Amino acid sequence: MGIPAATIVAHESGREDPGHVVIDEVAGQLIALIAIPADWQHAAISLLLFRFFDILKPPPIRQLERLPGGTGIMLDDVGAGLFALAIAQLIHLFFRNPVRQDTLHSYPRRSTLKQP
């Protein structure tokens, strides 16, 4: 839905990436937020990462932006959202609460075994 709409607006406005088209930003931010824990800290990190990748445009996001019409308008933000989601997931994986040491053992401790 966003690609045809962005293509029409870009064509009618005569601009490659019209600033008043925001459906691409919405799509990218939704992707960045889709699979994170539902709290403000994770949302803030995901949205900051999205803006970072949307502005920096590392490869292949820069190449996606060069695609014609609404495809380029939409896919660079989708790419930024995917990058943000991946990094947010890695941050969550490495900085979540550590596993308690007493839950690492799946076998009963010797002191809890009944002696005959």
Side-chain angles (χ1 to χ4, degrees):
M1 179 164 87
I3 292 174
T7 300
I8 292 167
V9 173
H11 179 70
E12 290 184 3
S13 69
R15 299 176 64 192
E16 281 189 30
D17 191 354
H20 55 276
V21 174
V22 295
I23 193 166
D24 55 334
E25 300 289 331
V26 172
Q29 291 177 10
L30 285 175
I31 291 169
L33 294 169
I34 193 98
I36 62 164
D39 59 35
W40 73 267
Q41 296 94 341
H42 286 92
I45 288 169
S46 291
L47 293 176
L48 287 172
L49 285 167
F50 169 73
R51 291 303 304 149
F52 173 77
F53 289 119
D54 189 32
I55 293 167
L56 183 66
K57 298 194 187 307
I61 296 173
R62 179 73 61 194
Q63 288 78 8
L64 292 172
E65 183 181 43
R66 294 180 184 140
L67 293 171
T71 304
I73 294 170
M74 289 293 297
L75 289 187
D76 72 317
D77 289 304
V78 168
L82 290 170
F83 273 49
L85 176 61
I87 299 301
Q89 289 296 316
L90 289 173
I91 289 170
H92 176 68
L93 178 68
F94 287 112
F95 293 103
R96 65 182 176 191
N97 293 333
V99 177
R100 291 186 0 223
Q101 290 297 319
D102 63 343
T103 62
L104 293 177
H105 304 289
S106 60
Y107 55 88
R109 292 185 182 179
R110 180 171 281 195
S111 63
T112 61
L113 294 176
K114 292 185 178 183
Q115 298 297 325

